[in-house]
Amino acid sequence: MKNSTRRKFIKSAGLATLAAGTAACNASSPTGDSPKKILVAKFFDETNTFIPEKFTLEMAKERAIYGQDMLEVKDMVHGIPGTSLDGFMDVMEMFDVSLIGSISVKGDYRLITEETFDYVTGYILDTLDKHQVDGIYLSMHGAGVAEAHHDMEGDTLELVRNKVGPEIPIVFTLDLHSTLTEKMAKNANAVSIYRTYPHTDAYEVGYEVGAILMGALLGNIKPVIAVKHIPLLIGPPLNVVTADMPMKQVYDKAKEMQRTIPDVLTCCPAHGFMQQDVPTAGAGVMVTTNQNHELAQELADELADLMWSFREQYWIKLPSPEETIKMAMQSEKPVAISDSGDNIGGGGAGDGTHLLREILKQKATSAFVQIYDPKAAKQAYDAGLDATVNLQVGGWSDKLYGPPVEITGKVTRLSKETDAWHQSARVDIGGITVLLNTKRIGPNDQANARGMGIYPEDYQMTVCKGSFAFRPQYPESTFNYVMSATPGFVSADLKTFDWKNVQRPIYPLDDI
């Protein structure tokens, strides 16, 4: 990133308070000094504790990227190029530093087994045994849960802090749907959290903590963190988009604090992850300042009070599947429907049939539905192009998502062996298109659909197995949105779940 571009970024992102940390960006380490060594690791999961399956060590090893290879991965966040790691590394390129890649593991929304947690954290600690480092960056989600670690990120930070001692600066990044804890704040020096939902600023938060880390290593700042927990369960598909009121007011206030108050480095509200039954569940705020913990706590408390004051406005009534399809059929624009209970990005199975059933029942004439069903996809694939097939599709994973729906249609497109989505089959039932996949494919990227000749803007309605994150792919200029109250492991109907561990009282489970 060129210097002029970097200055423009800092200004546009409201990071003027990072001037102390970025003043030396144009200079290398002092003459004669050896490069600063910085360990980088990623342990990332948004754990839905109501899903019965677990994320095993075997699954982790299949996904793991080790050593310097993890620094070479270019990825996307909800269809937006650039991850937090990418932003962090762009800052590092301005300095005489040596990045030491450790391990990168991304979970699958399932509870993480104890041996998996031990393996990933053990690998990070082993890397620290092999390398003496000057600083550490951990890319995490903030809603990870392992069998004996309900605060997975806090426990990971604690292990790392105990290994390196109090003097080594540790910075980390989190998703906006993170559960913030005292343990995280106690064992790290600075944090940056996504400020946007849908998430479009992953790169920026990595850039932000990179600047703070280098400011600390160069002796310009001494960052500290304060945290405030909020007894509030919120999340998509509720009224929580950061560009919409009332959440916009919370984030505008956070940006104003960060931009105008001296010594404030980051102000980060977080929504928490409401499909998570853990003692620390809830929303929260983290503030990072330069050496001023009292100020950080004061601002965290103020932002938390503001977020809490809108608690009733976040909770809105969503239409049932039946009502949803009626609304979509009356729309003058194409409609992107949120199948909220089957949100793949929150741990949904991807095979929910409630909306497909209503589409067929109400005799809609134009609709596109994507279903994860390896068995039905293979049956259609084996039947071949132009075959007429009778299939039972979806609804196999759990009774919440089913039962299966019977369809009879024509196979009009089959994926190629080289396609990233493997065996996919397009089945057309008049104007209704059902895309059957052997992989869970969310709506945040349309490559699968368009690769199968499906263009959502050509349909009256498209069922999106997500909540809000798909919207950059379904722009408001083209689509209307309907959020549907469908059942599933990601349902906003919290009465669906058996709560055992969350600390009470908490809104809206309790009237506080």
Side-chain angles (χ1 to χ4, degrees), residues 328-406:
M329 291 175 68
Q330 296 169 2
S331 175
E332 295 181 358
K333 290 169 64 175
V335 179
I337 300 171
S338 166
D339 190 348
S340 62
D342 199 18
N343 172 12
I344 291 176
D351 72 341
T353 58
H354 300 287
L355 291 169
L356 174 59
R357 181 176 294 102
E358 283 297 326
I359 286 169
L360 297 173
K361 179 181 178 181
Q362 296 187 36
K363 298 184 178 356
T365 58
S366 175
F368 164 47
V369 183
Q370 210 163 1
I371 298 282
Y372 167 67
D373 190 332
K375 180 180 178 181
K378 190 174 188 308
Q379 288 173 337
Y381 202 92
D382 291 344
L385 198 61
D386 296 328
T388 297
V389 292
N390 180 264
L391 303 167
Q392 298 286 330
V393 302
W396 302 108
S397 62
D398 189 274
K399 63 182 180 180
L400 285 173
Y401 292 108
V405 169
E406 182 177 359

Side-chain angles (χ1 to χ4, degrees), residues 19-24 29-30 33 36 95 134 167 169 211-223 290-291:
T22 57
S29 299
D33 286 0
K36 300 290 186 183
F95 297 90
D134 300 289
E167 301 304 320
I212 294 173
L213 178 59
M214 290 313 303
L217 289 175
L218 293 168
N220 297 327
I221 53 176
K222 292 183 179 180
N290 178 24
Q291 301 188 74

Side-chain angles (χ1 to χ4, degrees), residues 212-259:
I212 294 173
L213 178 59
M214 290 313 303
L217 289 175
L218 293 168
N220 297 327
I221 53 176
K222 292 183 179 180
V224 294
I225 305 173
V227 61
K228 178 66 175 182
H229 178 265
I230 308 171
L232 172 66
L233 296 174
I234 55 172
L238 304 177
N239 183 26
V240 292
V241 173
T242 53
D244 297 344
M245 293 295 289
M247 195 60 78
K248 181 178 185 298
Q249 188 170 336
V250 176
Y251 281 85
D252 284 349
K253 184 63 176 178
K255 292 173 186 175
E256 178 188 354
M257 288 175 171
Q258 182 168 322
R259 185 176 62 250

